[in-house]
Amino acid sequence: MNKEEILKKSREENRHGDELEKTKKETALNTGYFIASLFLSLLAISCYLGITNGNIIIFSKRIDLADVLWFIIFLSSAIEYGTKYVYLKQKRDLFIMIFWLLGLAGCLMSIAKS
């Protein structure tokens, strides 16, 4: 093979993006998700400890801010581990997803009571 054929083949293989570039994008997304989850968790914990408080009104129904924050955390974590289970087929991810779904169910019951 000459140089032009090798370059043509390389361009064809990398037409959907370089592996290093894909890895960097994935790392950036994971870091952003982690930071957002961390701040949501800290805000939810501060509501639980009484440092902050508030209500959100949805369809004329007053919902406690802490319940909404916990709902977001539980839902996003359940989706994350559910997706990991679908793609990677690891039972550990299935059990973690069930844990987060139980928390989500508890949060929904708390929201329904208010």
Side-chain angles (χ1 to χ4, degrees):
M1 274 198 222
N2 65 19
K3 180 180 176 181
E4 291 302 318
E5 289 176 14
I6 293 171
L7 287 173
K8 183 179 177 183
K9 186 176 179 181
S10 175
R11 285 187 197 108
E12 186 113 355
E13 290 174 355
N14 293 325
R15 71 178 177 265
H16 297 295
D18 187 24
E19 289 298 321
L20 179 61
E21 185 178 312
K22 288 179 184 179
T23 303
K24 287 180 180 179
K25 285 180 183 178
E26 184 178 328
T27 302
L29 284 172
N30 289 339
T31 303
Y33 174 74
F34 173 76
I35 297 297
S37 295
L38 177 68
F39 279 99
L40 275 174
S41 299
L42 289 174
L43 188 56
I45 290 169
S46 72
C47 286
Y48 177 75
L49 296 175
I51 298 169
T52 58
N53 62 13
N55 293 315
I56 296 176
I57 299 173
I58 300 175
F59 297 120
S60 300
K61 181 175 169 92
R62 187 177 301 268
I63 303 172
D64 190 39
L65 175 63
D67 290 338
V68 173
L69 294 171
W70 287 118
F71 176 81
I72 293 168
I73 292 167
F74 290 139
L75 180 64
S76 63
S77 296
I79 290 171
E80 175 189 359
Y81 283 98
T83 305
K84 284 181 181 179
Y85 175 71
V86 167
Y87 287 119
L88 302 175
K89 302 291 187 217
Q90 293 183 354
K91 287 185 180 182
R92 176 184 64 109
D93 293 328
L94 177 63
F95 292 122
I96 295 172
M97 179 193 67
I98 291 169
F99 168 77
W100 288 113
L101 285 175
L102 290 173
L104 183 63
C107 186
L108 286 173
M109 287 190 296
S110 177
I111 289 173
K113 287 180 184 177
S114 58

Short mmCIF file of all heavy atoms in Angstrom, two decimals, residues 69-90:
data_model
loop_
_atom_site.label_atom_id
_atom_site.label_comp_id
_atom_site.label_asym_id
_atom_site.label_seq_id
_atom_site.Cartn_x
_atom_site.Cartn_y
_atom_site.Cartn_z
N LEU A 69 -36.19 17.70 44.66
CA LEU A 69 -34.76 17.45 44.46
C LEU A 69 -34.44 15.97 44.58
O LEU A 69 -33.70 15.41 43.76
CB LEU A 69 -33.94 18.25 45.47
CG LEU A 69 -34.00 19.77 45.30
CD1 LEU A 69 -33.32 20.46 46.47
CD2 LEU A 69 -33.38 20.19 43.99
N TRP A 70 -34.99 15.30 45.61
CA TRP A 70 -34.75 13.86 45.75
C TRP A 70 -35.33 13.10 44.57
O TRP A 70 -34.74 12.14 44.08
CB TRP A 70 -35.32 13.34 47.06
CG TRP A 70 -34.53 13.75 48.26
CD1 TRP A 70 -34.96 14.50 49.30
CD2 TRP A 70 -33.15 13.45 48.54
NE1 TRP A 70 -33.94 14.69 50.21
CE2 TRP A 70 -32.83 14.05 49.77
CE3 TRP A 70 -32.16 12.73 47.87
CZ2 TRP A 70 -31.57 13.96 50.35
CZ3 TRP A 70 -30.90 12.64 48.45
CH2 TRP A 70 -30.62 13.25 49.66
N PHE A 71 -36.49 13.53 44.07
CA PHE A 71 -37.09 12.89 42.90
C PHE A 71 -36.15 12.95 41.70
O PHE A 71 -35.94 11.96 41.01
CB PHE A 71 -38.43 13.57 42.56
CG PHE A 71 -39.07 13.05 41.31
CD1 PHE A 71 -39.80 11.87 41.35
CD2 PHE A 71 -38.94 13.72 40.11
CE1 PHE A 71 -40.39 11.37 40.19
CE2 PHE A 71 -39.52 13.24 38.96
CZ PHE A 71 -40.25 12.06 39.00
N ILE A 72 -35.57 14.12 41.48
CA ILE A 72 -34.63 14.27 40.36
C ILE A 72 -33.42 13.38 40.53
O ILE A 72 -32.96 12.71 39.59
CB ILE A 72 -34.22 15.76 40.20
CG1 ILE A 72 -35.42 16.60 39.77
CG2 ILE A 72 -33.07 15.91 39.21
CD1 ILE A 72 -35.18 18.10 39.87
N ILE A 73 -32.87 13.33 41.73
CA ILE A 73 -31.69 12.50 42.00
C ILE A 73 -32.01 11.03 41.79
O ILE A 73 -31.26 10.30 41.11
CB ILE A 73 -31.15 12.77 43.42
CG1 ILE A 73 -30.60 14.18 43.51
CG2 ILE A 73 -30.09 11.74 43.80
CD1 ILE A 73 -30.33 14.65 44.93
N PHE A 74 -33.11 10.56 42.38
CA PHE A 74 -33.47 9.14 42.27
C PHE A 74 -33.77 8.76 40.82
O PHE A 74 -33.35 7.71 40.34
CB PHE A 74 -34.67 8.81 43.15
CG PHE A 74 -34.38 8.84 44.62
CD1 PHE A 74 -35.29 9.39 45.50
CD2 PHE A 74 -33.20 8.34 45.13
CE1 PHE A 74 -35.04 9.43 46.87
CE2 PHE A 74 -32.92 8.37 46.49
CZ PHE A 74 -33.84 8.91 47.36
N LEU A 75 -34.50 9.62 40.12
CA LEU A 75 -34.87 9.32 38.74
C LEU A 75 -33.64 9.26 37.84
O LEU A 75 -33.48 8.32 37.05
CB LEU A 75 -35.86 10.36 38.21
CG LEU A 75 -36.33 10.17 36.77
CD1 LEU A 75 -37.12 8.88 36.65
CD2 LEU A 75 -37.18 11.36 36.33
N SER A 76 -32.76 10.25 37.94
CA SER A 76 -31.58 10.26 37.08
C SER A 76 -30.66 9.08 37.38
O SER A 76 -30.10 8.47 36.46
CB SER A 76 -30.82 11.59 37.20
OG SER A 76 -30.34 11.76 38.51
N SER A 77 -30.52 8.70 38.64
CA SER A 77 -29.66 7.56 38.98
C SER A 77 -30.28 6.25 38.51
O SER A 77 -29.57 5.37 38.02
CB SER A 77 -29.43 7.52 40.49
OG SER A 77 -28.72 8.66 40.90
N ALA A 78 -31.60 6.11 38.65
CA ALA A 78 -32.27 4.90 38.17
C ALA A 78 -32.12 4.76 36.65
O ALA A 78 -31.85 3.67 36.14
CB ALA A 78 -33.74 4.92 38.55
N ILE A 79 -32.26 5.86 35.94
CA ILE A 79 -32.10 5.82 34.48
C ILE A 79 -30.66 5.48 34.11
O ILE A 79 -30.41 4.68 33.20
CB ILE A 79 -32.53 7.16 33.85
CG1 ILE A 79 -34.05 7.31 33.97
CG2 ILE A 79 -32.09 7.25 32.39
CD1 ILE A 79 -34.56 8.67 33.58
N GLU A 80 -29.70 6.07 34.82
CA GLU A 80 -28.29 5.79 34.54
C GLU A 80 -27.99 4.30 34.69
O GLU A 80 -27.42 3.68 33.79
CB GLU A 80 -27.40 6.60 35.47
CG GLU A 80 -25.92 6.27 35.31
CD GLU A 80 -25.05 6.90 36.38
OE1 GLU A 80 -25.56 7.62 37.26
OE2 GLU A 80 -23.84 6.66 36.33
N TYR A 81 -28.36 3.72 35.83
CA TYR A 81 -28.04 2.32 36.06
C TYR A 81 -28.90 1.38 35.23
O TYR A 81 -28.45 0.30 34.84
CB TYR A 81 -28.11 1.99 37.55
CG TYR A 81 -26.90 2.51 38.26
CD1 TYR A 81 -26.93 3.72 38.94
CD2 TYR A 81 -25.69 1.82 38.21
CE1 TYR A 81 -25.81 4.22 39.57
CE2 TYR A 81 -24.56 2.30 38.83
CZ TYR A 81 -24.63 3.50 39.52
OH TYR A 81 -23.50 4.00 40.11
N GLY A 82 -30.12 1.79 34.91
CA GLY A 82 -30.94 0.99 34.01
C GLY A 82 -30.33 0.92 32.62
O GLY A 82 -30.30 -0.14 31.99
N THR A 83 -29.83 2.04 32.15
CA THR A 83 -29.18 2.07 30.84
C THR A 83 -27.90 1.25 30.85
O THR A 83 -27.62 0.51 29.90
CB THR A 83 -28.87 3.53 30.44
OG1 THR A 83 -30.07 4.29 30.50
CG2 THR A 83 -28.29 3.59 29.05
N LYS A 84 -27.14 1.35 31.93
CA LYS A 84 -25.92 0.54 32.04
C LYS A 84 -26.28 -0.94 32.01
O LYS A 84 -25.59 -1.74 31.37
CB LYS A 84 -25.17 0.86 33.33
CG LYS A 84 -24.40 2.15 33.29
CD LYS A 84 -23.66 2.37 34.59
CE LYS A 84 -22.89 3.67 34.58
NZ LYS A 84 -22.18 3.91 35.85
N TYR A 85 -27.36 -1.32 32.70
CA TYR A 85 -27.76 -2.73 32.70
C TYR A 85 -28.16 -3.19 31.30
O TYR A 85 -27.78 -4.27 30.87
CB TYR A 85 -28.91 -2.99 33.68
CG TYR A 85 -29.40 -4.40 33.60
CD1 TYR A 85 -28.62 -5.45 34.10
CD2 TYR A 85 -30.61 -4.71 33.00
CE1 TYR A 85 -29.05 -6.76 34.00
CE2 TYR A 85 -31.04 -6.01 32.90
CZ TYR A 85 -30.26 -7.03 33.40
OH TYR A 85 -30.68 -8.34 33.29
N VAL A 86 -28.91 -2.35 30.58
CA VAL A 86 -29.35 -2.72 29.23
C VAL A 86 -28.15 -2.94 28.31
O VAL A 86 -28.11 -3.90 27.54
CB VAL A 86 -30.29 -1.64 28.66
CG1 VAL A 86 -30.51 -1.83 27.16
CG2 VAL A 86 -31.61 -1.65 29.40
N TYR A 87 -27.15 -2.07 28.40
CA TYR A 87 -26.01 -2.18 27.49
C TYR A 87 -24.94 -3.15 27.95
O TYR A 87 -24.33 -3.84 27.14
CB TYR A 87 -25.38 -0.80 27.26
CG TYR A 87 -26.23 0.10 26.40
CD1 TYR A 87 -26.73 1.30 26.89
CD2 TYR A 87 -26.57 -0.25 25.10
CE1 TYR A 87 -27.53 2.12 26.11
CE2 TYR A 87 -27.36 0.56 24.31
CZ TYR A 87 -27.83 1.74 24.82
OH TYR A 87 -28.62 2.53 24.04
N LEU A 88 -24.68 -3.21 29.25
CA LEU A 88 -23.56 -4.02 29.75
C LEU A 88 -23.99 -5.36 30.33
O LEU A 88 -23.15 -6.24 30.54
CB LEU A 88 -22.79 -3.23 30.82
CG LEU A 88 -22.23 -1.88 30.35
CD1 LEU A 88 -21.59 -1.15 31.52
CD2 LEU A 88 -21.24 -2.08 29.21
N LYS A 89 -25.27 -5.53 30.64
CA LYS A 89 -25.83 -6.78 31.16
C LYS A 89 -25.15 -7.26 32.44
O LYS A 89 -24.92 -8.44 32.64
CB LYS A 89 -25.77 -7.89 30.10
CG LYS A 89 -26.48 -7.59 28.82
CD LYS A 89 -27.97 -7.55 29.01
CE LYS A 89 -28.66 -7.41 27.67
NZ LYS A 89 -29.80 -6.59 27.69
N GLN A 90 -24.81 -6.32 33.33
CA GLN A 90 -24.21 -6.69 34.60
C GLN A 90 -25.30 -6.64 35.67
O GLN A 90 -25.99 -5.63 35.84
CB GLN A 90 -23.07 -5.74 34.96
CG GLN A 90 -21.89 -5.88 34.02
CD GLN A 90 -20.74 -4.99 34.42
OE1 GLN A 90 -20.85 -4.18 35.33
NE2 GLN A 90 -19.63 -5.13 33.72
#
